[in-house]
Amino acid sequence: MELLVKKAKRGDAEAFITLMEENKQSMYKVARGFLRSEEDAADAMAETVLNCYEKIGCLKESAYFKTWMIRILINNCKDILQRQRRQMPAEDIPEREDERYGDGISEFRELIEPLGEQDRSIFTLYYVYGMKVREIASYMEMKESTVLSRLKRGREALRDEMSGSYVKGGRL
């Protein structure tokens, strides 16, 4: 991959296209982890491809291309989420899930809803897409220890939330 990155940095459009094709699946998974709709994920991915094409010359280390690209994608996803919040109240946003993922994704999203936005993102990347703590830390520009502590605190908060709801609902 480093050779392709070096070629792309020198202006080789075919090398850049190949790089994007090789990383398309990873980009999609991350975008869907942040965004609810296919259209928004596609918009974020398209914007990321454009940003990467325009800025690839600024990439210092070719070995970190994927990390750099995913960081750009996450920022684009956050921008889309911000625009949506300004345009529409949260209760008016329709819940539309991708049928390929089944009910598990909607249940998972409902479960982690009480967590903060950053923690929800970390949980989604870790539990839904199976990313390693090191990858998440790199993508979200935080220390691994921060990711680990957020996962731990989030699990504890969810455990407390679930045990409280089970006791209140008479299920214990």
Short mmCIF file of all heavy atoms in Angstrom, two decimals, residues 41-68:
data_model
loop_
_atom_site.label_atom_id
_atom_site.label_comp_id
_atom_site.label_asym_id
_atom_site.label_seq_id
_atom_site.Cartn_x
_atom_site.Cartn_y
_atom_site.Cartn_z
N ALA A 41 -23.85 8.32 4.76
CA ALA A 41 -22.57 7.60 4.73
C ALA A 41 -21.90 7.79 3.36
O ALA A 41 -20.69 8.03 3.28
CB ALA A 41 -22.79 6.11 5.01
N ALA A 42 -22.70 7.71 2.29
CA ALA A 42 -22.15 7.91 0.95
C ALA A 42 -21.63 9.33 0.78
O ALA A 42 -20.57 9.54 0.18
CB ALA A 42 -23.22 7.60 -0.10
N ASP A 43 -22.36 10.31 1.33
CA ASP A 43 -21.89 11.70 1.26
C ASP A 43 -20.57 11.87 1.99
O ASP A 43 -19.66 12.54 1.49
CB ASP A 43 -22.93 12.65 1.86
CG ASP A 43 -24.17 12.82 0.99
OD1 ASP A 43 -24.11 12.41 -0.19
OD2 ASP A 43 -25.17 13.36 1.49
N ALA A 44 -20.48 11.30 3.18
CA ALA A 44 -19.25 11.41 3.97
C ALA A 44 -18.08 10.75 3.24
O ALA A 44 -16.96 11.29 3.21
CB ALA A 44 -19.44 10.78 5.35
N MET A 45 -18.33 9.60 2.63
CA MET A 45 -17.28 8.90 1.90
C MET A 45 -16.84 9.71 0.68
O MET A 45 -15.63 9.84 0.41
CB MET A 45 -17.75 7.51 1.47
CG MET A 45 -17.89 6.54 2.64
SD MET A 45 -18.67 4.98 2.18
CE MET A 45 -17.52 4.32 0.99
N ALA A 46 -17.79 10.28 -0.05
CA ALA A 46 -17.46 11.06 -1.23
C ALA A 46 -16.64 12.30 -0.85
O ALA A 46 -15.64 12.63 -1.51
CB ALA A 46 -18.73 11.47 -1.97
N GLU A 47 -17.06 12.95 0.21
CA GLU A 47 -16.33 14.12 0.69
C GLU A 47 -14.91 13.74 1.13
O GLU A 47 -13.95 14.47 0.88
CB GLU A 47 -17.08 14.78 1.85
CG GLU A 47 -16.51 16.08 2.31
CD GLU A 47 -16.67 17.21 1.30
OE1 GLU A 47 -17.58 17.17 0.45
OE2 GLU A 47 -15.84 18.14 1.36
N THR A 48 -14.79 12.58 1.73
CA THR A 48 -13.48 12.09 2.18
C THR A 48 -12.57 11.81 0.99
O THR A 48 -11.38 12.17 1.02
CB THR A 48 -13.65 10.82 3.04
OG1 THR A 48 -14.45 11.16 4.18
CG2 THR A 48 -12.31 10.28 3.49
N VAL A 49 -13.10 11.19 -0.04
CA VAL A 49 -12.30 10.92 -1.24
C VAL A 49 -11.79 12.23 -1.83
O VAL A 49 -10.60 12.36 -2.17
CB VAL A 49 -13.11 10.11 -2.29
CG1 VAL A 49 -12.38 10.04 -3.61
CG2 VAL A 49 -13.39 8.70 -1.77
N LEU A 50 -12.68 13.21 -1.92
CA LEU A 50 -12.29 14.52 -2.46
C LEU A 50 -11.22 15.18 -1.58
O LEU A 50 -10.20 15.66 -2.08
CB LEU A 50 -13.52 15.42 -2.58
CG LEU A 50 -13.27 16.82 -3.13
CD1 LEU A 50 -12.72 16.77 -4.54
CD2 LEU A 50 -14.56 17.63 -3.08
N ASN A 51 -11.44 15.17 -0.26
CA ASN A 51 -10.47 15.77 0.67
C ASN A 51 -9.12 15.08 0.56
O ASN A 51 -8.07 15.74 0.54
CB ASN A 51 -10.95 15.67 2.12
CG ASN A 51 -12.18 16.51 2.42
OD1 ASN A 51 -12.97 16.15 3.27
ND2 ASN A 51 -12.36 17.62 1.73
N CYS A 52 -9.14 13.76 0.51
CA CYS A 52 -7.88 13.00 0.41
C CYS A 52 -7.15 13.32 -0.89
O CYS A 52 -5.93 13.47 -0.90
CB CYS A 52 -8.14 11.50 0.52
SG CYS A 52 -8.59 10.96 2.17
N TYR A 53 -7.90 13.42 -1.98
CA TYR A 53 -7.28 13.70 -3.27
C TYR A 53 -6.62 15.08 -3.26
O TYR A 53 -5.50 15.25 -3.74
CB TYR A 53 -8.33 13.62 -4.39
CG TYR A 53 -7.74 13.79 -5.76
CD1 TYR A 53 -7.03 12.75 -6.35
CD2 TYR A 53 -7.87 14.99 -6.46
CE1 TYR A 53 -6.46 12.90 -7.61
CE2 TYR A 53 -7.31 15.14 -7.72
CZ TYR A 53 -6.61 14.10 -8.29
OH TYR A 53 -6.05 14.25 -9.53
N GLU A 54 -7.33 16.04 -2.67
CA GLU A 54 -6.80 17.40 -2.63
C GLU A 54 -5.62 17.55 -1.68
O GLU A 54 -4.73 18.36 -1.91
CB GLU A 54 -7.90 18.38 -2.20
CG GLU A 54 -8.99 18.55 -3.24
CD GLU A 54 -10.16 19.38 -2.73
OE1 GLU A 54 -10.29 19.59 -1.51
OE2 GLU A 54 -10.96 19.81 -3.58
N LYS A 55 -5.58 16.77 -0.62
CA LYS A 55 -4.59 16.96 0.45
C LYS A 55 -3.55 15.86 0.56
O LYS A 55 -2.76 15.86 1.50
CB LYS A 55 -5.30 17.07 1.80
CG LYS A 55 -6.40 18.09 1.86
CD LYS A 55 -5.89 19.39 2.37
CE LYS A 55 -7.08 20.32 2.57
NZ LYS A 55 -6.78 21.66 2.32
N ILE A 56 -3.54 14.90 -0.35
CA ILE A 56 -2.61 13.78 -0.21
C ILE A 56 -1.15 14.23 -0.17
O ILE A 56 -0.32 13.59 0.46
CB ILE A 56 -2.83 12.68 -1.28
CG1 ILE A 56 -2.13 11.40 -0.83
CG2 ILE A 56 -2.38 13.16 -2.66
CD1 ILE A 56 -2.65 10.15 -1.43
N GLY A 57 -0.86 15.33 -0.77
CA GLY A 57 0.51 15.87 -0.73
C GLY A 57 0.93 16.29 0.67
O GLY A 57 2.12 16.36 0.98
N CYS A 58 -0.03 16.54 1.55
CA CYS A 58 0.26 16.95 2.93
C CYS A 58 0.56 15.77 3.85
O CYS A 58 1.04 15.96 4.96
CB CYS A 58 -0.93 17.71 3.51
SG CYS A 58 -1.35 19.20 2.61
N LEU A 59 0.25 14.56 3.38
CA LEU A 59 0.49 13.36 4.19
C LEU A 59 1.98 13.16 4.36
O LEU A 59 2.71 13.02 3.39
CB LEU A 59 -0.15 12.13 3.53
CG LEU A 59 0.03 10.79 4.22
CD1 LEU A 59 -0.60 10.79 5.61
CD2 LEU A 59 -0.56 9.69 3.36
N LYS A 60 2.44 13.15 5.61
CA LYS A 60 3.88 13.05 5.88
C LYS A 60 4.39 11.63 5.77
O LYS A 60 5.42 11.38 5.16
CB LYS A 60 4.18 13.62 7.26
CG LYS A 60 3.93 15.11 7.35
CD LYS A 60 4.13 15.63 8.74
CE LYS A 60 3.72 17.11 8.78
NZ LYS A 60 3.64 17.61 10.13
N GLU A 61 3.70 10.68 6.39
CA GLU A 61 4.14 9.28 6.42
C GLU A 61 3.19 8.43 5.59
O GLU A 61 2.03 8.26 5.95
CB GLU A 61 4.16 8.76 7.86
CG GLU A 61 5.33 9.22 8.67
CD GLU A 61 6.63 8.57 8.24
OE1 GLU A 61 6.62 7.39 7.83
OE2 GLU A 61 7.66 9.26 8.29
N SER A 62 3.68 7.85 4.53
CA SER A 62 2.84 7.02 3.66
C SER A 62 2.25 5.82 4.40
O SER A 62 1.16 5.36 4.08
CB SER A 62 3.66 6.53 2.46
OG SER A 62 4.08 7.62 1.68
N ALA A 63 2.96 5.33 5.40
CA ALA A 63 2.50 4.16 6.16
C ALA A 63 1.22 4.46 6.93
O ALA A 63 0.47 3.55 7.28
CB ALA A 63 3.59 3.70 7.12
N TYR A 64 0.93 5.73 7.19
CA TYR A 64 -0.24 6.11 7.97
C TYR A 64 -1.40 6.60 7.11
O TYR A 64 -2.29 7.28 7.59
CB TYR A 64 0.13 7.18 9.00
CG TYR A 64 1.11 6.67 10.03
CD1 TYR A 64 2.40 7.17 10.08
CD2 TYR A 64 0.76 5.66 10.91
CE1 TYR A 64 3.32 6.70 11.01
CE2 TYR A 64 1.67 5.16 11.83
CZ TYR A 64 2.94 5.69 11.88
OH TYR A 64 3.83 5.22 12.79
N PHE A 65 -1.39 6.24 5.83
CA PHE A 65 -2.43 6.70 4.93
C PHE A 65 -3.83 6.34 5.44
O PHE A 65 -4.71 7.19 5.49
CB PHE A 65 -2.25 6.12 3.51
CG PHE A 65 -3.41 6.41 2.61
CD1 PHE A 65 -3.55 7.66 2.04
CD2 PHE A 65 -4.39 5.45 2.38
CE1 PHE A 65 -4.65 7.95 1.24
CE2 PHE A 65 -5.48 5.73 1.58
CZ PHE A 65 -5.61 6.98 1.00
N LYS A 66 -4.03 5.07 5.81
CA LYS A 66 -5.37 4.63 6.21
C LYS A 66 -5.83 5.37 7.46
O LYS A 66 -6.97 5.81 7.54
CB LYS A 66 -5.39 3.12 6.44
CG LYS A 66 -6.79 2.59 6.69
CD LYS A 66 -6.82 1.08 6.72
CE LYS A 66 -8.22 0.58 6.95
NZ LYS A 66 -8.27 -0.88 6.97
N THR A 67 -4.95 5.54 8.42
CA THR A 67 -5.30 6.28 9.63
C THR A 67 -5.67 7.72 9.30
O THR A 67 -6.67 8.25 9.79
CB THR A 67 -4.10 6.27 10.61
OG1 THR A 67 -3.78 4.92 10.91
CG2 THR A 67 -4.40 7.03 11.87
N TRP A 68 -4.88 8.34 8.43
CA TRP A 68 -5.13 9.71 7.99
C TRP A 68 -6.48 9.81 7.29
O TRP A 68 -7.28 10.71 7.57
CB TRP A 68 -3.97 10.11 7.07
CG TRP A 68 -4.08 11.43 6.40
CD1 TRP A 68 -3.89 12.66 6.95
CD2 TRP A 68 -4.36 11.66 5.01
NE1 TRP A 68 -4.04 13.64 5.99
CE2 TRP A 68 -4.33 13.04 4.79
CE3 TRP A 68 -4.62 10.80 3.94
CZ2 TRP A 68 -4.56 13.60 3.54
CZ3 TRP A 68 -4.86 11.36 2.70
CH2 TRP A 68 -4.82 12.75 2.52
#
